[in-house]
């Protein structure tokens, strides 16, 4: 055997690549049995991440456990213990348990990436957790576990989560925890500060009280937090801002209090010194403005503002928010910007704002993702789209106003899409409302330009000239030749789906909706023809090159 294959670190890198191949896990199991040098590195990779806890439990003696169907109506299995546990039962379990770094608990099924087949995972009986808690040997159940994903929804299971956190746990995601009381959750978070003081990531789907948040803020090394809170005031926000290592925060609160610049600055003068990704959801425009001015200057890379629609918006407050983004964020660092509405359906008359109000954002030359769909309708035009295309050359995702219904004063046309193709070569997803009613050059429908990186198009409730669906499909396929099947959508919201052609006032909408459906059906055919033309052109070009090379040799 070559000496390189006797180095465990090299073998681990090789086996990580093997795992990614089809049938990789079976191959790793075979490699583990091949020779002594391969045994541990192969098993370490094989056991690194476990989606099914029952796999580890079935390493115990076969007379201890039994696997059976839950009932005759479901393919799911359940694992139960037949007897009490003995000290000898832990031998093989402990050997493999020490290899697990990532564990998923409570996941019901997986979808195979190779076959797209649904794989149902074995349910672990509640009594099994109780016995593990009673009979586990001294020490930690999974001593090298680094990340725990908890997805059990039953409140009876949650008390047994204490089996898994330990001093070196770095990540904890609690995806489901229905019915847990505030006291129980707060007690768990309090214990977490001592059992896992090195925790770097904490995501919790359940509502955390103010006392629970205070416990979270005692974990001083946290870098990534995602929490649903009962309430959040300036004082609690200041506690989070004092976590010096915090780089990513996602917060949604049921109510907010005192989110003003004065209150925030009175509690903390140097907030979020390491913050790079900010997502605090459900504030109104004024509170977001105050928050951004408080953290200014910042080096945010990602900013998400989901504006609360329960309070009336105004053009003045939205302009102030845009100005605050431009003032507080670094133009060289911000790459992701999302300013959206918490409720797609308007709860009061839509406000309109000229697209020129977005010009302060053009200073952020490194933006790759831009989602702007606020409570106010942004009246876009072709010139503004061109300015965005020139200002954001690294743009990959752009979506502006696709949830809005009114097109009063709106002037984006099919021709307005061309600058995005010319200046944004990395563009992948595009969402914009437009008037597909302008005349199209049938000879050169898109001025001869195209971009193959775009895979999804979303046009909301765009207009179209009924009877010209084929022209529009031809234009779009020339501009975006690689959009996938079913990846072009327009008029696909629930209300549009249920339009009744017999209702007089909706007849025009029905015709527009049906015309866009015709575009979606015709688009793949045009794209296929253009791809064939391109291949034929490349073949002819290569043929000319070969002939030319032969002629030069004869000369």
């Amino acid at each position: 055997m070559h000496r390189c294959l006797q180095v465990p670190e090299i073998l681990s890198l090789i086996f990580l690549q093997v795992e990614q191949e089809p049938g990789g896990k079976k191959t790793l199991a075979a490699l583990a049995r091949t020779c002594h040098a391969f045994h541990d590195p192969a098993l370490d990779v094989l056991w690194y991440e476990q989606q099914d806890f029952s796999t580890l439990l079935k390493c115990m003696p076969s007379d201890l456990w039994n696997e059976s169907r839950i009932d005759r109506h479901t393919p799911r299995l359940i694992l139960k213990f037949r007897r009490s546990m003995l000290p000898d039962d832990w031998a093989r379990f402990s050997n493999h348990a020490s290899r697990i770094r990532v564990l998923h608990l409570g996941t019901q099924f997986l979808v195979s990436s190779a076959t797209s087949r649904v794989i149902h995972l074995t349910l672990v009986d509640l009594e099994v957790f109780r016995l593990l808690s009673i009979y586990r040997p001294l020490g930690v159940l999974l001593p090298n576990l680094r990340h725990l994903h908890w997805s059990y929804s039953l409140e009876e299971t949650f008390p047994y989560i204490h089996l898994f956190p330990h001093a070196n746990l770095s990540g904890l995601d609690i995806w489901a925890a229905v019915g847990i009381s505030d006291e129980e959750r707060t007690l768990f978070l309090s214990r977490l500060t001592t059992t896992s003081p090195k925790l770097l990531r904490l995501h919790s789907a359940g509502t955390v009280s103010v006392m629970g948040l205070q416990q979270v803020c005692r974990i001083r090394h946290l870098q990534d937090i995602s929490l649903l809170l009962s309430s959040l005031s300036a004082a609690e926000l200041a506690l989070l801002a004092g976590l010096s290592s915090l780089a990513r925060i996602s917060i949604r609160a049921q109510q907010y209090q005192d989110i003003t610049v004065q209150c925030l600055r009175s509690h903390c003068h140097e907030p979020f010194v390491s913050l790079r990704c900010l997502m605090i959801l459900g504030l109104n425009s004024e509170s977001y403005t105050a928050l951004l001015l408080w953290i200014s200057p910042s080096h945010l890379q990602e900013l998400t503002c989901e504006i609360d629609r329960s309070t009336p918006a105004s053009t003045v407050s939205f302009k102030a928010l845009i100005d605050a983004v431009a003032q507080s964020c670094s133009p060289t660092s911000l790459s992701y910007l999302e300013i959206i509405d918490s409720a797609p359906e308007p709860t009061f008359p839509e406000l309109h704002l000229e697209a020129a109000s977005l010009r302060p954002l053009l200073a952020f030359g490194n933006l790759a993702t831009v989602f702007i769909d606020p409570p106010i309708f942004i009246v876009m035009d072709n010139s503004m789209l061109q300015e965005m295309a020139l200002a954001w050359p690294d743009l990959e995702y752009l979506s502006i106003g696709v949830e809005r219904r009114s097109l009063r004063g709106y002037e984006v046309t099919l021709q307005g899409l061309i600058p995005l193709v010319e200046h944004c070569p990395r563009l992948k997803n595009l969402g914009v409302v437009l008037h597909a009613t302008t005349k199209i050059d049938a000879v050169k429908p898109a001025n001869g330009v195209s971009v193959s990186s775009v895979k999804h198009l979303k046009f909301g409730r765009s207009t179209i000239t009924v009877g010209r669906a084929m022209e529009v499909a031809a234009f779009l396929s020339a501009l975006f030749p690689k959009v996938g099947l079913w990846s072009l959508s327009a008029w696909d919201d629930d209300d549009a789906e249920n339009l009744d052609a017999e209702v007089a006032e909706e007849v025009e909408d029905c015709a527009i909706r049906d015309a866009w459906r015709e575009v979606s059906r015709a688009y793949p055919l045009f794209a296929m023809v253009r791809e064939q033309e391109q291949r034929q052109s490349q073949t002819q070009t290569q043929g000319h090159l070969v002939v030319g090379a032969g002629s030069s040799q004869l000369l």
Side-chain angles (χ1 to χ4, degrees):
M1 182 185 295
H2 195 282
R3 284 184 296 176
C4 288
L5 296 180
Q6 297 176 0
V7 180
E9 291 79 7
I10 294 178
L11 286 175
S12 295
L13 293 174
I14 294 173
F15 293 158
L16 282 171
Q17 294 299 317
V18 169
E19 187 189 30
Q20 304 304 316
E21 299 297 324
K25 293 190 180 297
K26 290 183 179 179
T27 304
L28 285 175
L31 287 168
R33 297 190 296 268
T34 300
C35 65
H36 181 74
F38 289 0
H39 183 266
D40 284 335
L43 287 181
D44 286 343
V45 173
L46 190 62
W47 284 92
Y48 184 93
E49 181 171 2
Q50 287 300 307
Q51 301 277 357
D52 191 346
F53 187 48
S54 70
T55 303
L56 180 61
L57 295 173
K58 285 186 282 190
C59 292
M60 291 182 169
S62 58
D63 67 321
L64 172 64
W65 54 271
N66 177 59
E67 191 178 41
S68 60
R69 292 184 64 169
I70 296 177
D71 57 60
R72 61 188 181 90
H73 301 293
T74 177
R76 292 201 67 192
L77 303 174
I78 185 170
L79 185 142
K80 298 181 178 182
F81 279 174
R82 299 174 174 176
R83 57 171 174 79
S84 298
M85 301 186 71
L86 302 173
D88 293 341
D89 295 335
W90 293 94
R92 288 191 64 224
F93 177 97
S94 300
N95 180 39
H96 295 309
S98 63
R99 305 179 192 276
I100 296 177
R101 300 295 190 275
V102 180
L103 178 64
H104 299 257
L105 283 168
T107 305
Q108 295 188 16
F109 62 87
L110 301 174
V111 179
S112 171
S113 57
T115 63
S116 298
R117 184 171 60 90
V118 175
I119 302 171
H120 294 275
L121 303 182
T122 300
L123 177 69
V124 177
D125 187 57
L126 187 65
E127 180 68 10
V128 172
F129 286 106
R130 191 184 72 84
L131 293 174
L132 289 175
S133 180
I134 294 173
Y135 292 105
R136 64 172 172 161
L138 294 176
V140 180
L141 198 63
L142 305 178
N144 293 313
L145 184 67
R146 294 295 178 267
H147 203 135
L148 174 64
H149 298 264
W150 182 271
S151 299
Y152 280 109
S153 58
L154 295 176
E155 58 183 303
E156 294 86 356
T157 313
F158 188 75
Y160 298 107
I161 195 174
H162 77 274
L163 290 168
F164 303 96
H166 60 89
N168 292 317
L169 188 71
S170 59
L172 174 60
D173 292 351
I174 304 175
W175 298 116
V178 179
I180 300 171
S181 65
D182 289 343
E183 293 77 10
E184 187 175 3
R185 194 184 302 274
T186 302
L187 179 60
F188 168 72
L189 292 171
S190 175
R191 290 173 176 172
L192 200 62
T193 61
T194 55
T195 57
S196 303
K198 299 179 182 178
L199 202 65
L200 303 179
R201 169 187 166 110
L202 176 61
H203 287 201
S204 177
T207 304
V208 176
S209 65
V210 173
M211 292 185 62
L213 179 61
Q214 292 172 353
Q215 298 300 324
V216 169
C217 293
R218 291 175 56 197
I219 308 174
R220 304 305 302 174
H221 300 289
L222 279 171
Q223 298 177 5
D224 183 356
I225 291 178
S226 179
L227 298 173
L228 174 62
L229 303 176
S230 58
S231 66
L232 183 67
S233 67
E236 284 87 48
L237 195 52
L239 283 177
L240 288 166
L243 295 174
S244 59
S245 299
L246 194 61
R248 179 182 291 270
I249 181 171
S250 175
I251 295 290
R252 181 186 292 278
Q254 295 172 353
Q255 61 177 354
Y256 294 93
Q257 302 171 1
D258 305 325
I259 309 299
T260 65
V261 177
Q262 293 77 13
C263 288
L264 291 168
R265 287 177 177 169
S266 68
H267 288 92
C268 181
H269 290 285
E270 294 186 21
F272 298 116
V273 293
S274 300
L275 194 63
R276 295 297 178 265
C277 303
L278 173 63
M279 181 187 295
I280 296 185
L281 309 175
L283 292 172
N284 56 33
S285 298
E286 292 83 356
S287 296
Y288 277 119
T289 300
L291 177 62
L292 290 170
L293 293 176
W294 176 48
I295 68 174
S296 179
S298 68
H299 293 280
L300 289 179
Q301 297 170 358
E302 300 179 17
L303 172 62
T304 298
C305 303
E306 185 185 282
I307 301 174
D308 179 22
R309 276 300 290 263
S310 63
T311 56
S314 71
T315 56
V316 174
S317 63
F318 183 74
K319 285 181 180 179
L321 172 58
I322 296 298
D323 291 339
V325 173
Q327 176 181 333
S328 65
C329 299
S330 168
T332 58
S333 63
L334 192 67
S335 62
Y336 182 103
L337 176 62
E338 186 173 1
I339 304 176
I340 60 174
D341 185 355
S342 62
E345 287 295 329
T347 54
F348 50 84
E350 268 186 354
L351 300 172
H352 289 68
L353 185 69
E354 294 300 320
S357 300
L358 299 180
R359 281 208 174 95
L361 302 179
L362 300 181
F364 296 93
N366 292 322
L367 277 174
T369 300
V370 178
F371 292 100
I372 300 179
D373 208 338
I376 297 173
F377 181 66
I378 307 297
V379 183
M380 293 289 294
D381 56 27
N382 288 351
S383 62
M384 193 62 200
L385 267 185
Q386 183 175 21
E387 289 185 52
M388 290 178 173
L390 291 169
W392 305 329
D394 295 330
L395 201 61
E396 296 182 8
Y397 299 88
L398 176 63
S399 179
I400 296 183
V402 293
E403 298 295 341
R404 304 279 72 84
R405 305 296 171 80
S406 170
L407 293 183
R408 179 165 55 86
Y410 203 80
E411 297 180 1
V412 174
T413 67
L414 289 170
Q415 298 295 328
L417 303 179
I418 294 177
L420 292 169
V421 174
E422 292 176 327
H423 303 292
C424 303
R426 298 184 179 89
L427 190 64
K428 297 177 182 177
N429 287 39
L430 174 62
V432 66
V433 183
L434 51 83
H435 292 296
T437 54
T438 55
K439 188 176 180 179
I440 300 170
D441 186 346
V443 179
K444 258 190 173 180
N447 294 347
V449 298
S450 66
V451 59
S452 58
S453 59
V454 174
K455 306 300 181 187
H456 297 275
L457 296 171
K458 185 176 180 64
F459 294 126
R461 291 203 171 190
S462 296
T463 64
I464 190 172
T465 301
V466 177
R468 293 176 57 188
M470 293 299 102
E471 295 179 45
V472 174
F475 178 91
L476 292 173
S477 66
L479 208 59
F480 310 109
K482 295 292 185 180
V483 172
L485 188 64
W486 312 117
S487 295
L488 186 154
S489 65
W491 288 72
D492 60 345
D493 57 272
D494 292 338
D495 289 341
E497 182 68 28
N498 297 323
L499 285 177
D500 186 354
E502 296 181 1
V503 180
E505 60 267 26
E506 294 180 344
V507 169
E508 184 180 354
D509 284 350
C510 289
I512 292 174
R513 178 200 63 187
D514 294 341
W516 274 109
R517 288 180 176 178
E518 190 175 351
V519 171
S520 299
R521 288 192 294 268
Y523 185 94
L525 299 177
F526 280 102
M528 182 178 63
V529 170
R530 296 192 187 283
E531 186 176 358
Q532 291 173 350
E533 291 175 348
Q534 185 179 10
R535 285 201 302 264
Q536 185 178 1
S537 176
Q538 290 174 348
T539 302
Q540 291 174 351
T541 302
Q542 292 171 356
H544 288 311
L545 291 174
V546 171
V547 172
S551 300
S552 64
Q553 289 175 0
L554 290 174
L555 292 174

